[in-house]
Amino acid sequence: MTSSLETAILHLCDQFEELGGEPAARVTSDIRARLDRPLRLAVVGRVKAGKSTLVNALVGARVAATDEAECTSLVTHYIFDPPDRAEIILTEGESIVVNIIDGRLPDPLPVAIDKISPSGSAPAP
Ligand SMILES: Nc1nc2c(ncn2[C@@H]2O[C@H](COP(=O)(O)OP(=O)(O)O)[C@@H](O)[C@H]2O)c(=O)[nH]1
Ligand SMILES: [Mg+2]
């Protein structure tokens, strides 16, 4: 289903292409492709700002640990894709799949925290 916002963006793409020709079309083709992908939302802020609480409220489940003290020190990506599972990306690029119990990661984690990629991404090849 196409929302009115998507329709407006597609209309802007059409107009931009009419004005800008081929160079504009290279930009709009990326924008059009992005509209077909799932929405990605980045939640950033200071420690204890309520980021994890906001993520849990948006998802409707306690996927992110919350605490009065600092408790999430790694960049974490959440993706809707059943079944529930978690993948830890290591600094060297490998990943480890871990079970989620009651929506939580195992505590302690099966690897030392300094072995985990701080960005949540594998290093560039
Ligand atoms: N009063 C109040 N406390 C909140 C709110 N959002 C989160 N908290 C509390 O602030 C603390 C830190 O929240 P958390 O989501 O873990 O913060 P994060 O470090 O940014 O992920 C927790 O004790 C939450 O219960 C809010 O809107 N109001
Ligand atoms: Mg947090």
Side-chain angles (χ1 to χ4, degrees):
M1 197 174 87
T2 307
S3 71
S4 56
L5 177 61
E6 284 174 303
T7 305
I9 292 169
L10 291 170
H11 183 59
L12 280 173
C13 287
D14 292 341
Q15 291 182 316
F16 190 53
E17 286 163 18
E18 273 177 42
L19 290 169
E22 181 57 32
R26 281 198 291 275
V27 176
T28 54
S29 70
D30 185 43
I31 294 169
R32 289 176 196 280
R34 281 179 195 216
L35 284 177
D36 286 335
R37 293 183 210 138
L39 176 68
R40 282 199 294 178
L41 186 66
V43 180
V44 293
R46 284 185 292 190
V47 169
K48 297 196 294 177
K51 301 178 298 294
S52 298
T53 304
L54 175 62
V55 167
N56 291 339
L58 290 170
V59 173
R62 275 186 55 93
V63 292
T66 61
D67 202 346
E68 289 166 22
E70 179 178 1
C71 66
T72 330
S73 52
L74 297 163
V75 173
T76 312
H77 300 257
Y78 299 97
I79 302 168
F80 278 109
D81 188 19
D84 283 357
R85 70 196 183 109
E87 221 172 296
I88 298 173
I89 311 295
L90 304 182
T91 47
E92 302 294 320
E94 320 90 282
S95 64
I96 301 174
V97 173
V98 293
N99 289 328
I100 298 190
I101 301 137
D102 294 332
R104 312 288 299 261
L105 286 169
D107 185 14
L109 292 171
V111 283
I113 203 145
D114 62 351
K115 300 272 186 270
I116 299 175
S117 164
S119 69
S121 308

